[in-house]
Amino acid sequence: MNLTLQVWRQPGPEADGGLKEYQASDISPDMSFLEMLDVVNERLIEAGDLPIAFDHDCREGICGSCGMMINGVAHGPSKATATCQLHMRSFRDGDTIVIEPWRARAFPVIRDLVVNRGALDRIIAAGGFISAPTGSAQDANAIPVSKQDSDAAMDAAACIGCGACVAACPNGSASLFTGAKISHLGLLPQGQPERFRRALNMVTQMDLENFGHCTLFGECQEACPKQISIDVISRMNRDFLRAAVTAPSDRAASGGDG
Amino acid sequence: MWALTLYRSTIGKKMIMAVTGLVLVVFVIGHMAGNLQQFLGPGRMNAYAAFLKSTGELLWIARLGLLAATVLHVLMAYQLTQIKRAARPIDYTRREPQVSTLASRTMRWGGVLLLVFIVFHILHFTTGTVFPVASRPDAQYPAFSHTDVYGNVVSAFRNPWVVLFYVVAMLFLLLHLFHGAWSSVRTLGLSKPSPDPLHRRVSTVIAVVVWLGFTAIPVAVFFGVIR
Ligand code: HEM
Ligand code: FES
């Protein structure tokens, strides 16, 4: 198949960027979207041009590295699919495909389609952990967890941190990501000791990173390659409210070895 | 201080919007139900209005409460809109909404229209400061009167422009409630996990009932059902 690509090219963080047009000819419908870009890049290199920079690693939908806005949709047209798992058969011969990086103040462009998602790491660092004494962990089966809680926690833990929720949100909000991280620990017994401090600190960090607020558009859960539900946002809000009302500020200091 | 913690966070600001929004939702339902007495004739409607006025301090407490709720609601809407604008300084050349409703996407501009409507509405029916003359004047109710609420409604809605403005404003109220009555419950974390979280039944009913109830009055007057 033959496609016309309009790709955001930006040489560096401070440089001006713009959409540039490329022809992607003789593309197999069985290729993945990233393989299609690989082919385009090989031809660019042969022609002496700089290849299109994009993030990728596992290419099997589990690492969260890949991600781009494809025709105005985060991760493109297939539901519950990361960009690396998107196949060219989702497009038609002759299509024009607009490819842009995730857009958010918290995700500055590094180059072309590569953005810095360190803001998400800093949200995790603010509270996305549990404290457990090393070497003396008890047998996991010794702590009962209800089926509902473990299912809900595992659903939230499916988050791969790709940032599609932020990219798809009209407000540039990281609520789905932060809610998922708060929920997957907060639902389990091991996550209880830091539960409310975690909610307070992660939400505070989320705000500090200049993400927008949640209007409940629902675009994030639709964009999420792991189909995480906006239920995690309600849960985050509930825990955050409890934390704000009950936690004295001295207890809000960050965790670690205490 | 916990109130400050909330006020400083985007979630807390949104919760203030949700609580004040719900106060307004309750008011709007009551106001709509009370107004329907216009269909029962001047006796009932004017007695209802006289009763509300007779509550004295209580009426003022309610008015100040609604004013405070509205001011907070608009202030938080403004602040959150500024935050959200700053969150995406460079926009996409192309972004295709997938599941967001028209209602959710018109909360801001629709909200501004509701604010304009509320100001006009108070100057119109409460104070009588702005009372566009009917294009089909009625000898029985020529001008604004502080004691004849029924008559004010009848003469006001003989003006097609006034009817149009009220009908359009109520369409935006329909949208605002369709999203807001549902989203506020989720904002406050009161919703139960759901297999289809975007589905809303109660708020659809609230939005449609409020919309029909309010819209019925100007339309009924205009077409001579209420005279
Ligand atoms: C006075 C003019 C008004 C303005 C400017 C306004 C503005 C807004 C905006 C911008 C939002 C969305 C906030 C966001 O998520 O980004 C919102 C939400 C809401 N509004 Fe209004 N609004 C107004 C009047 C009303 C009225 C009259 C009602 C009730 C009848 C109402 C009830 C609500 C509710 C319940 C929400 C949902 C809050 C949430 O999602 O947590 N608003 N409003
Ligand atoms: S490259 Fe790992 S999720 Fe796509």
Side-chain angles (χ1 to χ4, degrees):
Chain A
M1 55 202 297
N2 296 307
L3 303 149
T4 305
L5 307 184
Q6 291 184 350
V7 186
W8 183 265
R9 299 302 307 264
Q10 182 174 338
E14 308 302 330
D16 286 336
L19 287 178
K20 253 184 112 168
E21 197 162 294
Y22 300 94
Q23 298 303 325
S25 41
D26 300 323
I27 298 297
S28 156
D30 296 328
M31 281 180 187
S32 78
F33 198 81
L34 298 187
E35 282 166 341
M36 180 276 292
L37 286 179
D38 291 339
V39 169
V40 171
N41 274 346
E42 270 167 31
R43 292 174 191 163
L44 282 176
I45 293 167
E46 273 166 23
D49 286 331
L50 280 174
I52 301 162
F54 60 89
D55 256 331
H56 60 100
D57 188 9
C58 70
R59 298 209 177 195
E60 53 185 19
I62 54 171
C63 74
S65 300
C66 64
M68 46 193 88
M69 207 70 170
I70 300 166
N71 280 342
V73 182
H75 287 308
S78 297
K79 210 173 145 73
T81 305
T83 303
C84 58
Q85 297 276 285
L86 175 65
H87 284 83
M88 295 315 293
R89 52 179 167 270
S90 304
F91 299 89
R92 272 185 315 238
D93 192 30
D95 274 0
T96 296
I97 308 177
V98 180
I99 310 173
E100 292 179 85
W102 290 166
R103 293 265 184 230
R105 178 160 157 217
F107 288 172
V109 171
I110 296 171
R111 180 184 200 118
D112 298 342
L113 305 171
V114 180
V115 299
N116 184 342
R117 282 167 290 185
L120 299 184
D121 297 335
R122 291 188 291 275
I123 293 175
I124 300 267
F129 50 81
I130 59 160
S131 317
T134 45
S136 59
Q138 68 195 111
D139 183 24
N141 288 338
I143 311 168
V145 183
S146 80
K147 169 84 172 127
Q148 287 94 325
D149 284 350
S150 84
D151 282 355
M154 289 310 280
D155 286 349
C159 171
I160 54 177
C162 63
C165 45
V166 177
C169 176
N171 295 357
S173 171
S175 293
L176 194 72
F177 170 82
T178 313
K181 298 303 173 192
I182 287 175
S183 296
H184 100 252
L185 297 174
L187 277 157
L188 296 174
Q190 292 86 343
Q192 293 311 305
E194 293 103 344
R195 178 169 162 196
F196 296 106
R197 199 193 307 168
R198 172 184 308 117
L200 195 63
N201 291 344
M202 291 181 78
V203 167
T204 305
Q205 190 64 35
M206 172 180 85
D207 285 345
L208 282 175
E209 299 289 351
N210 298 310
F211 289 107
H213 72 289
C214 175
T215 292
L216 288 146
F217 290 108
E219 296 289 354
C220 55
Q221 79 172 13
E222 186 67 15
C224 179
K226 299 298 155 185
Q227 296 190 287
I228 290 172
S229 154
I230 55 169
D231 283 340
V232 300
I233 298 177
S234 288
R235 203 187 152 80
M236 162 173 74
N237 289 7
R238 200 155 60 226
D239 278 5
F240 174 74
L241 180 63
R242 259 261 316 261
V245 173
T246 59
S249 46
D250 58 342
R251 278 191 26 222
S254 93
D257 56 10
Chain B
M1 231 268 281
W2 65 270
L4 219 58
T5 312
L6 283 182
Y7 176 75
R8 288 205 181 113
S9 71
T10 52
I11 293 180
K13 285 184 200 291
K14 191 68 201 294
M15 284 178 169
I16 298 174
M17 287 208 74
V19 169
T20 54
L22 285 174
V23 168
L24 295 173
V25 171
V26 170
F27 163 74
V28 154
I29 294 171
H31 188 40
M32 182 277 295
N35 285 1
L36 286 179
Q37 294 174 77
Q38 181 80 12
F39 282 99
L40 303 178
R44 274 296 283 279
M45 191 62 192
N46 286 337
Y48 169 63
F51 160 73
L52 288 183
K53 277 197 183 143
S54 75
T55 56
E57 284 88 51
L58 277 180
L59 180 64
W60 275 104
I61 291 171
R63 281 173 168 172
L64 289 178
L66 288 170
L67 181 67
T70 310
V71 168
L72 278 173
H73 193 80
V74 174
L75 191 67
M76 293 304 108
Y78 174 75
Q79 291 186 2
L80 287 173
T81 303
Q82 297 299 100
I83 290 173
K84 144 226 139 92
R85 290 223 166 107
R88 181 167 291 139
I90 303 171
D91 209 344
Y92 297 103
T93 36
R94 185 161 172 204
R95 190 174 62 75
E96 301 294 334
Q98 299 295 299
V99 291
S100 55
T101 56
L102 176 69
S104 65
R105 284 181 267 123
T106 52
M107 289 306 270
R108 278 169 211 122
W109 290 114
V112 170
L113 187 97
L114 285 179
L115 184 60
V116 172
F117 171 78
I118 291 168
V119 172
F120 174 80
H121 182 55
I122 291 172
L123 294 175
H124 188 208
F125 278 128
T126 308
T127 65
T129 319
V130 186
F131 202 76
V133 189
S135 55
R136 294 182 290 157
D138 189 304
Q140 216 183 333
Y141 312 112
F144 185 83
S145 147
H146 275 284
T147 49
D148 185 7
V149 169
Y150 182 89
N152 291 343
V153 170
V154 173
S155 63
F157 292 139
R158 284 173 172 257
N159 183 324
W161 296 109
V162 173
V163 172
L164 183 70
F165 181 54
Y166 273 73
V167 167
V168 170
M170 289 310 107
L171 280 172
F172 278 93
L173 183 62
L174 169 76
L175 290 173
H176 209 81
L177 288 176
F178 177 71
H179 183 73
W182 163 81
S183 69
S184 48
V185 176
R186 289 206 154 252
T187 298
L188 294 171
L190 300 174
S191 53
K192 289 212 178 66
S194 156
D196 184 8
L198 293 177
H199 184 74
R200 61 207 75 173
R201 208 172 310 129
V202 178
S203 84
T204 309
V205 172
I206 293 177
V208 170
V209 168
V210 167
W211 169 65
L212 282 177
F214 275 136
T215 306
I217 296 163
V219 170
V221 171
F222 191 70
F223 290 107
V225 179
I226 296 175
R227 54 179 80 232

